[in-house]
Amino acid sequence: MKKLPALCPSCEFALEVSELSCESCGTKVSGNYSLPLLLQLSPEEQQFLLDFITSSGSIKKMAEQLGKSYPTVRNYLDDLIEKINNIKNH
Amino acid sequence: MNTILFNPFERYPEKKLLLIGIICTSLSIYLASILDAHFDGAIDVHLVNEIVHIKSPLIESIISIGCLVLFIFIAGKIYNSKTRIIDIFVTVLIARIPLYLILPFNINHYYSELALSLAVDPNNLQNLPQETLLKTLVFSLVIFALVIWFFMLLWNGYKTATHAKGAKSIVLFILAIIIAEIASKALLSLAF
């Protein structure tokens, strides 16, 4: 599966969607659309969030799944919350 | 391997670490009574040339561990309100394991007798046989490495438990250790 780039490989500025197309009829929509917040996270961070939701938001369960300790997972989550807040405030 | 030796707090669940910590602490109290050692301070181990009753290392361990846990936990709470006391307790128990490895140096009072002879006459160092001098040097270096290992474990555990970053967390950590050492010394002087 191709990895969706969120940052410009040249200047590292946030990329925007400029074209969307319909696979069925070939219609194309052009414009400038911001990437949704979740897509601006790295694939690992997106996976972490999905795992967090599917484990009912339990850090303890997440720690067991990832083979990490409770504070390590909580620290990772805190870093992720900080990153999301930074993206939102940007 | 690095994780197990220097930062087990990153990977292993607190229940497992707590069990290991309690077993090692209990064993250290027993060994201190056999090999004659005192834990007379939050970050102290002293090998002595006298008979030590098990009651001494037991009370000393409770006070030393208690002071370290209390003051590092306060520092952690000031830095990050999410800090849990169980993580600090586990950190202190596990970090002290390298200190317990100093105890075998006093088998047959070897280290304490050597230290005593040097304390009485510092010039005795020149009169020591070369083999004893070499052993003293190696033992001192090993003990120094174990103390460094203790501080590394203590810092890594604190860092994981509090999500420590930057100068403020370092200052709080150092202050907590200094206050724990002073408080434990004061409490121990009252206890004995």
Side-chain angles (χ1 to χ4, degrees), chain A residues 60 63 67-76 78-79 81-82, chain B residues 9-12 14-15 80 82 84 87 159-163 165:
Chain A
K60 201 177 164 185
K68 299 276 180 191
S69 71
Y70 180 97
T72 304
V73 176
R74 194 201 56 216
N75 294 343
Y76 189 82
D78 286 345
D79 284 339
I81 291 167
E82 198 184 327
Chain B
F9 319 102
E10 192 186 296
R11 186 183 295 174
Y12 299 100
E14 65 267 16
K15 276 181 191 168
N80 181 352
K82 289 177 188 168
R84 302 185 312 164
D87 296 325
K159 198 175 152 189
T160 306
T162 63
H163 203 195
K165 285 174 188 169

